[in-house]
Amino acid sequence: MTIKVAIAGARGKMGIEAVHTVIKREGMELVAILDYKQVGQTLADLDIFPENYKVPIYTDFCALVEETKPDVLVDLTNPHAVYEHTKQALVHNVRPVIGTTGFTDEQLVELKELAASKKMGCIIAPNFAIGAILMMKFAREAAKYLPNVEIIEMHHDNKLDAPSGTGLKTAQMIAEVRDPKGQGHPNEKEMMQGARGAEFEGMHIHSVRLPGLVAHQQVLFGGEGQLLTIRHDSFNRESFMSGVTFCIERVLDMEDLVYGLENII
């Protein structure tokens, strides 16, 4: 069986890598691109792709589904568009694989109920890198024994959301095994607002945004006379592609929404 794939966000750095990956992947066919701008008739019209990439570009999702009938939509767009793309995909019986973060808790509940009602798979992955998934799993295990935790996540300076989906997901996973507790001196005072970062159940999350970075995170656990650091680095976007292809194949066998690859790996 050949899996028919559509991609939203093909002009972004992750999207470009995903286009090349799906086109070259045996058992997959890239049938359409969803783009909010009319940038050309096919990918071949764009300078960033080879001339033989004749995949059609659509600005209207309904037309895309009717004419190309994809099995899976891979969304690599931005937090402003991803919720609507995910919902529309499920409504039109296309299984979403989402690599964009920025969902609210209410949106996730709604999408989970929609996927369950239609018995359709949907994967929302704050991070597609297998090493990052293992980092989060190891961090959850370490928090059972070292509950004083701080997270430092570092990304490129064009990232829109802070903290990152990976940073927030890590904190949520740690919270599953850690009782909420304040950290630092009970009377500490920020001399500059935000100096201690965002707070999640007493944990602090710090977001770094600099050119030259891709996606990096370290989770620091402090104990008496010791420090444990669990770190993952993605040096290029190729590191995410094995997770993308895994999700495209896996989502076809699912009947509900899964948030985080740690739940299926």
Side-chain angles (χ1 to χ4, degrees), residues 57-183:
I57 299 173
Y58 292 83
T59 57
D60 181 82
F61 187 66
C62 293
L64 183 155
V65 172
E66 183 177 347
E67 295 179 18
T68 66
K69 297 178 173 54
D71 301 303
V72 176
L73 171 70
V74 177
D75 189 288
L76 302 167
T77 55
N78 59 65
H80 305 301
V82 66
Y83 162 71
E84 191 61 32
H85 289 173
T86 307
K87 183 176 181 179
Q88 287 301 310
L90 289 169
V91 168
H92 288 85
N93 299 314
V94 180
R95 290 165 172 80
V97 169
I98 308 300
T100 307
T101 55
F103 293 94
T104 66
D105 291 341
E106 293 78 12
Q107 288 172 341
L108 287 173
V109 169
E110 179 185 352
L111 293 171
K112 190 172 185 66
E113 291 175 350
L114 178 58
S117 69
K118 297 180 72 69
K119 294 187 176 180
M120 291 188 62
C122 173
I123 298 175
I124 299 175
N127 199 315
F128 283 116
I130 303 303
I133 306 308
L134 295 175
M135 170 194 63
M136 290 188 279
K137 281 178 170 283
F138 297 157
R140 179 170 56 186
E141 186 66 21
K144 296 176 183 178
Y145 309 99
L146 296 168
N148 290 287
V149 188
E150 301 223 1
I151 298 169
I152 304 173
E153 56 91 354
M154 299 163 282
H155 287 78
H156 56 89
D157 57 339
N158 287 320
K159 186 169 179 59
L160 295 177
D161 55 327
S164 68
T166 301
L168 180 57
K169 182 63 175 176
T170 304
Q172 291 169 338
M173 290 175 62
I174 290 173
E176 295 172 3
V177 300
R178 172 188 178 274
D179 292 330
K181 67 186 294 288
Q183 297 181 172

